[in-house]
Amino acid sequence: MTNPEKQPEKEPEKKLNEPKLKNAEEQLQNWRERTAQAVGDVDAAYDEAERKIRTPLANFEKSVTARILKLPLQQLGKEVEADILNQEGGMLDQPKVEEYGKRLTRALDAATSYINTMAKEGGLNAEALTKMVNDQNRKASKFIDLFLEKNFTEIEEAMLFAVGPRGKSSSLSEAGNQAKITILKYLKSDFDKADSVVMTYIWSIFSFMDKDTRISVAKDYIKGKPKDKVEAFLVKGNCMGVFSSAELKILNPSKKYSDDEVKAQDLAWQGQNDFKMEAAKLGMIPYGTENAAGNMINIRNALMTFVKFGAGFTVIGNFVAGAWQGGKFRGFGVAVKRLLNRQSSLAIGTYAAIKMIESDKTLDQLFHGSKPEQEASADLRREVKNNSEWDRFFKQSDYAGSKVFFEFVRSIKGKEPDISKVSQLLTPSQFIAYLDVKIADKKPKKDSYETYDYAAIKESFEKVNPKEIYTLARAFDVLNIGAKNAKDKYELCSKEPPTTNTDKKTA
């Protein structure tokens, strides 16, 4: 984006031609179609800008981000529907319909402009998607939160200018001038407030602006201010990832920064803007997702098949030879005795060993259950014992906590066979984000789907206040605790196993 004074003018905003409808039913249907079309337009813009990253992690991040961007449209759709249905048989008047139409256009412009802004350098590739999820200034959830607030109309306008549209202004230069006025106004009133929500949006707007516009606005703010005030603003801006070391030199030319200070400024800026490492993780195809060799007949498989066939042949041969001798059937008793001879016993042992190798189970696992399941149960018991809020969380509302937690784990895991490969996504903050998406998505579910009170589940989870959830996520995945079996499986696995006689003797 260029400086607002240099930007090309656009045509004045055209007046929307709202269709003339006969009744409330037509009005309702028309609005549903328009909302669906707008949602489809966001999807289309995303698909056009997207660069395919075929990993479970990328697919999950994409789905969450795309749904977040459509939230204002869906929320507006519900608001209009409710308004129409509350008219007691009447219809919304034309001025109100036109106002809703403008809000729809505004929400659509905001979402698509955000997508296009994030896709400027190479499309929505791994790095862009990572920024849409993690960048404190540019992440989709932060951007959309502003348009869901409904309390900061001026700041919305400034944000729209920063990502492209002029908003309600008749030209981009007018929008740019108004954005500057708005930013200076809130910097003056809120910069020194430690807990200002507005300032988080101001820094976001700065980050979306091009360098020239950002420096121009910052210069206007610090002009005539004492050195300590200027320094405080620039340090904060650098820590927020808005001003680079090069921009700090332009904004504060009288200050001679040392090499160590510049190095610290570069580290602070990179810490908020460099997502190459996270992007690399996002684009990695986890080992085990695809393994063509597993579908091929290799030497090991061929040898195993041959030995297994030979062992089976020996067992069956001895049985048949024992049961039939001299052309006469001599009875199963004789046949069983032949199965117990040394040759047959070795063959049975060989066959059993091969089956254990094929199933990746040890003899102890075959007779005493799967070791991973034992370990997962132990992890579950330990976590619940250390924090009793977990037990309340999982059991709430007929084990809805368990079912939703399992849903989250499986949505993160996707088709990845090894859950450890996506451990970085199995965090409390990601679970909260998952619940927020579910809370916002209030579409009616099909008859076969169970619905949950996600807001209550989120409130309960916040009481747990865990530092990590990966251990439990892995336990739920291994033990398959979820859906219809949630209650029985959780109750079985979260309780201490009964002490056996063997355990007592050992003790």
Side-chain angles (χ1 to χ4, degrees):
M1 183 188 291
T2 58
N3 199 302
E5 286 78 10
K6 299 178 183 178
Q7 289 181 7
E9 298 295 324
K10 287 191 176 182
E11 292 295 324
E13 186 180 10
K14 294 180 180 179
K15 188 175 181 179
L16 295 171
N17 293 318
E18 293 294 339
K20 302 294 183 182
L21 303 170
K22 298 177 183 178
N23 51 47
E25 187 176 344
E26 282 191 8
Q27 202 172 60
L28 187 62
Q29 182 60 31
N30 174 260
W31 186 260
R32 286 171 176 167
E33 289 172 0
R34 291 171 65 179
T35 304
Q37 178 63 49
V39 168
D41 289 344
V42 174
D43 284 329
Y46 198 112
D47 290 342
E48 184 178 351
E50 182 189 11
R51 300 295 176 263
K52 300 296 182 184
I53 319 161
R54 300 185 185 282
T55 65
L57 178 54
N59 289 339
F60 172 76
E61 297 289 26
K62 173 198 169 181
S63 66
V64 172
T65 303
R67 292 177 79 176
I68 286 171
L69 292 173
K70 292 179 285 190
L71 284 177
L73 292 168
Q74 293 164 338
Q75 181 173 295
L76 178 59
K78 290 180 173 60
E79 182 183 337
V80 178
E81 284 193 28
D83 201 357
I84 294 172
L85 293 172
N86 287 333
Q87 294 301 310
E88 297 182 358
M91 296 172 62
L92 297 179
D93 58 35
Q94 199 64 14
K96 200 164 193 178
V97 170
E98 289 178 1
E99 180 58 32
Y100 278 135
K102 289 177 182 177
R103 285 176 58 188
L104 182 70
T105 301
R106 180 187 182 86
L108 177 58
D109 281 349
T112 54
S113 297
Y114 171 83
I115 291 169
N116 294 333
T117 297
M118 298 305 293
K120 273 183 179 178
E121 299 176 9
L124 294 185
N125 52 23
E127 189 167 357
L129 180 55
T130 304
K131 288 181 178 180
M132 291 167 79
V133 174
N134 297 314
D135 190 318
Q136 68 169 341
N137 294 316
R138 294 183 162 212
K139 60 186 176 182
S141 58
K142 180 68 171 292
F143 179 82
I144 291 301
D145 275 349
L146 175 59
F147 293 90
L148 293 173
E149 283 274 2
K150 297 182 181 179
N151 296 322
F152 305 120
T153 306
E154 291 176 308
I155 298 175
E156 280 184 27
E157 289 295 310
M159 181 68 84
L160 286 173
F161 162 75
V163 295
R166 64 180 183 274
K168 295 178 181 178
S169 302
S170 60
S171 68
L172 280 172
S173 59
E174 181 189 330
N177 292 331
Q178 186 58 51
K180 181 183 288 190
I181 292 170
T182 297
I183 293 170
L184 294 176
K185 169 186 171 181
Y186 284 102
L187 281 173
K188 183 178 180 180
S189 65
D190 279 55
F191 176 72
D192 292 323
K193 294 180 182 177
D195 57 349
S196 171
V197 174
V198 171
M199 273 308 303
T200 64
Y201 293 129
I202 296 298
W203 292 123
S204 291
I205 294 169
F206 266 124
S207 76
F208 279 113
M209 286 177 166
D210 69 277
K211 179 182 174 181
D212 290 343
T213 306
R214 181 166 56 245
I215 289 176
S216 172
V217 177
K219 279 183 174 179
D220 279 1
Y221 175 67
I222 62 178
K223 187 177 181 179
K225 281 191 167 38
K227 286 185 178 180
D228 61 328
K229 295 288 186 182
V230 171
E231 192 69 21
F233 172 71
L234 296 181
V235 168
K236 181 65 175 178
N238 177 238
C239 291
M240 292 296 293
V242 170
F243 303 126
S244 66
S245 60
E247 291 173 0
L248 292 179
K249 288 179 182 177
I250 296 171
L251 290 168
N252 199 9
S254 62
K255 168 90 173 178
K256 302 300 179 184
Y257 294 107
S258 67
D259 290 344
D260 287 340
E261 285 177 315
V262 172
K263 194 176 293 184
Q265 291 163 1
D266 288 339
L267 285 172
W269 189 88
Q270 287 171 6
Q272 301 297 344
N273 290 278
D274 189 350
F275 290 92
K276 289 184 176 62
M277 187 176 294
E278 289 87 347
K281 292 178 183 176
L282 189 70
M284 285 193 306
I285 298 176
Y287 175 76
T289 303
E290 293 180 0
N291 183 6
N295 296 323
M296 297 172 62
I297 298 177
N298 54 33
I299 294 174
R300 175 183 179 276
N301 291 339
L303 285 173
M304 282 296 180
T305 302
F306 181 81
V307 175
K308 186 167 63 177
F309 176 80
F313 187 84
T314 300
V315 174
I316 295 170
N318 274 311
F319 181 85
V320 173
W324 293 85
Q325 275 190 353
K328 295 181 180 180
F329 182 72
R330 301 182 62 190
F332 286 103
V334 177
V336 171
K337 286 182 181 179
R338 289 294 295 268
L339 284 178
L340 298 178
N341 67 22
R342 179 178 177 80
Q343 186 184 26
S344 293
S345 296
L346 285 171
I348 291 171
T350 302
Y351 191 86
I354 293 169
K355 292 303 290 181
M356 281 192 288
I357 292 170
E358 288 177 337
S359 65
D360 292 324
K361 289 179 181 283
T362 64
L363 193 62
D364 179 70
Q365 287 174 325
L366 287 175
F367 289 99
H368 297 96
S370 163
K371 188 175 181 181
E373 289 183 356
Q374 293 173 3
E375 292 174 348
S377 293
D379 287 340
L380 175 60
R381 290 193 297 273
R382 184 180 64 254
E383 293 294 318
V384 171
K385 184 177 180 180
N386 289 341
N387 188 341
S388 59
E389 290 293 341
W390 270 126
D391 195 48
R392 280 189 276 273
F393 171 77
F394 288 131
K395 289 180 178 179
Q396 67 179 300
S397 303
D398 193 25
Y399 293 79
S402 297
K403 296 172 185 176
V404 171
F405 187 70
F406 182 75
E407 279 184 0
F408 163 72
V409 172
R410 285 304 167 93
S411 70
I412 292 285
K413 188 182 176 188
K415 294 182 180 179
E416 168 57 56
D418 183 358
I419 194 170
S420 67
K421 301 290 185 181
V422 293
S423 60
Q424 70 271 29
L425 275 183
L426 293 164
T427 63
S429 60
Q430 283 283 16
F431 186 41
I432 289 288
Y434 175 83
L435 293 174
D436 284 339
V437 170
K438 291 291 187 180
I439 291 168
D441 181 13
K442 297 180 180 179
K443 294 179 182 177
K445 303 297 180 183
K446 296 179 181 178
D447 292 340
S448 58
Y449 287 84
E450 192 168 358
T451 58
Y452 306 105
D453 185 348
Y454 290 102
I457 291 170
K458 179 183 176 182
E459 183 180 349
S460 177
F461 179 71
E462 288 171 343
K463 290 178 182 177
V464 178
N465 193 27
K467 293 182 179 178
E468 64 95 11
I469 61 172
Y470 173 64
T471 303
L472 281 169
R474 185 181 58 208
F476 268 64
D477 179 58
V478 171
L479 299 169
N480 197 34
I481 301 175
K484 294 180 180 179
N485 76 344
K487 178 179 179 180
D488 295 336
K489 207 68 180 283
Y490 176 79
E491 287 294 334
L492 175 67
C493 298
S494 63
K495 292 180 179 178
E496 292 290 339
T499 306
T500 62
N501 292 331
T502 305
D503 294 332
K504 290 177 181 176
K505 288 177 184 178
T506 304

